[in-house]
Amino acid sequence: MDREPWHPELRDAVFADVLELARLDKICFDQHAYSANLILRFLELYLPCVVAEGPDGDIIGFAMVMPELDESTCALVTLDVAPARRRRGLGRRMVAWCSRAMLEMDPPMELMWLTVASRNQGAREFYRRLGFKQADTIKDYYKDDDAVVMVHLDMERLAKGEP
């Protein structure tokens, strides 16, 4: 449930957003952030990417998902919410948007997976609340940390924003 007094508008990302997305990714992930060039490349590959706009039209969040068609799975590439806008339901809305996009594919994706830094307890708990389960750990995935691989097996529930 969105707890904002206003509902941030969710829309598809456009190429003009790239620099702002890279700036927000740097704020959210610092040394693990994607470069503007890589974000541009993802958009050129037509990866579904949702942008959340605040009341002044500023970008306050975005999420990107990558289908893996041969396996009927998808990877949540990134989920960014501006620090001042966290814990208000926006991340849940953007994950649901990504899930709906993956269910609309032909064939629809059957599960979503992601990686999260093992030390990022807040993000890990957020994904647990969404119904993701820890599936694996990848040693030294990040230069300074391991990655926890989390999986969600019910895309329909995830698309509705349910755990």
Side-chain angles (χ1 to χ4, degrees), residues 113-151:
W113 67 273
L114 58 91
T115 58
V116 60
S118 69
R119 287 185 282 209
N120 192 340
Q121 293 298 327
R124 290 173 63 189
E125 182 56 31
F126 166 76
Y127 291 119
R128 272 192 219 96
R129 285 192 310 270
L130 289 182
F132 283 85
K133 307 286 185 219
Q134 184 169 336
D136 200 359
T137 301
I138 304 171
K139 192 90 171 130
D140 300 323
Y141 182 82
Y142 303 102
K143 292 176 186 160
D144 60 346
D145 199 359
D146 299 338
V148 173
V149 179
M150 300 183 82
V151 177

Side-chain angles (χ1 to χ4, degrees), residues 65-137:
V65 64
M66 179 174 57
E68 298 169 328
L69 299 174
D70 55 334
E71 298 180 19
S72 295
T73 66
C74 58
L76 186 63
V77 174
T78 194
L79 173 63
D80 296 49
V81 177
R85 301 295 187 175
R86 292 181 182 159
R87 304 192 59 80
R88 299 177 187 185
L90 183 55
R92 178 183 295 268
R93 285 182 61 208
M94 291 191 296
V95 170
W97 185 98
C98 289
S99 301
R100 287 190 298 274
M102 294 295 93
L103 286 171
E104 292 171 2
M105 302 219 44
D106 186 21
M109 299 298 99
E110 296 174 8
L111 68 85
M112 181 181 288
W113 67 273
L114 58 91
T115 58
V116 60
S118 69
R119 287 185 282 209
N120 192 340
Q121 293 298 327
R124 290 173 63 189
E125 182 56 31
F126 166 76
Y127 291 119
R128 272 192 219 96
R129 285 192 310 270
L130 289 182
F132 283 85
K133 307 286 185 219
Q134 184 169 336
D136 200 359
T137 301

